[in-house]
Amino acid sequence: MHPLAPFLPEWITESTPLFREYMHILSLCDALAFYASWAETVCRQPTDKLQSFEHKQRTIDATVRMEQLLRRVLDVDWLGTHVQDGEDCTELQKLRLLYVPEVVFRLHGVLYETRDFVPQNLARSLEMAQMVAGDGLGIYRELAQKSPMHPNGRLVAFMALMRKSAFELLRVQESASDNRVAPV
């Protein structure tokens, strides 16, 4: 039984679409609320070595939690209704079109911006292309969808983020290979 079940009317059960919708919106709110805390943690600058170690650990912990919250939104097929070109949108579809791309961009930002704290996050930011392109969740549909705010969709902007991650990963790998000492 879900912890919220005792507080809901009897006609709303965990299997009703209304409950699922509520949980999806709640998961988005959790992620967006924690994002401000995460950003504050990452931006805080330590003043000494001890604070630097503590800051790194707090940043790693906050990043793990932030990634979990954002992925929870994306991994459940959030509000699970897709819009086809030329089709009228329902309210849920409008929410999905608005928030799924935003969560994708924030997740990339979280992974990319913490690459110095969690080195594997750089590669993971690039792996997001697989998640977006996969047919299972259909995230690419929301990124490709045109809107008044994004007349060409947001897929091009996402591909620019993938390019940024790829170039940074190549730079890091090149730097690592330059720093290796040649055997004598």
Side-chain angles (χ1 to χ4, degrees):
M1 175 186 270
H2 192 277
L4 292 176
F7 302 105
L8 298 172
E10 293 171 13
W11 57 272
I12 298 180
T13 65
E14 291 183 42
S15 61
T16 61
L18 191 57
F19 182 80
R20 188 177 75 99
E21 188 180 308
Y22 172 77
M23 293 308 297
H24 285 191
I25 291 172
L26 187 63
S27 68
L28 175 69
C29 291
D30 287 347
L32 295 179
F34 190 75
Y35 187 82
S37 174
W38 170 83
E40 185 179 313
T41 300
V42 172
C43 292
R44 196 172 292 136
Q45 295 297 318
T47 57
D48 61 36
K49 215 169 186 75
L50 177 62
Q51 281 185 344
S52 179
F53 175 76
E54 291 170 351
H55 174 256
K56 180 177 181 175
Q57 193 56 52
R58 274 194 309 273
T59 300
I60 291 170
D61 294 344
T63 298
V64 167
R65 178 74 177 133
M66 185 74 260
E67 182 183 5
Q68 288 171 342
L69 289 169
L70 291 170
R71 283 194 187 273
R72 187 170 72 189
V73 171
L74 296 173
D75 290 344
V76 297
D77 193 21
W78 195 75
L79 295 181
T81 55
H82 303 288
V83 178
Q84 304 299 322
D85 279 332
E87 183 180 305
D88 287 336
C89 295
T90 67
E91 283 76 18
L92 293 181
Q93 290 168 327
K94 287 177 185 177
L95 286 173
R96 185 172 167 86
L97 285 172
L98 182 64
Y99 287 109
V100 167
E102 185 61 32
V103 171
V104 167
F105 283 93
R106 286 187 189 216
L107 178 56
H108 180 273
V110 165
L111 295 172
Y112 186 84
E113 295 304 324
T114 58
R115 66 192 183 278
D116 294 334
F117 296 100
V118 186
Q120 63 268 31
N121 277 0
L122 182 57
R124 292 169 74 208
S125 73
L126 193 55
E127 291 167 3
M128 287 183 62
Q130 294 172 337
M131 175 186 64
V132 168
D135 276 335
L137 299 173
I139 294 172
Y140 66 90
R141 291 183 192 111
E142 277 70 38
L143 292 173
Q145 189 70 33
K146 297 173 182 167
S147 70
M149 285 181 55
H150 305 283
N152 297 323
R154 298 184 76 181
L155 205 48
V156 172
F158 176 74
M159 294 309 296
L161 293 177
M162 294 298 97
R163 181 176 187 259
K164 179 179 172 181
S165 290
F167 279 131
E168 181 65 12
L169 188 59
L170 288 172
R171 187 194 65 73
V172 167
Q173 290 172 345
E174 184 177 293
S175 176
S177 68
D178 289 347
N179 290 335
R180 290 189 194 137
V181 178
V184 180

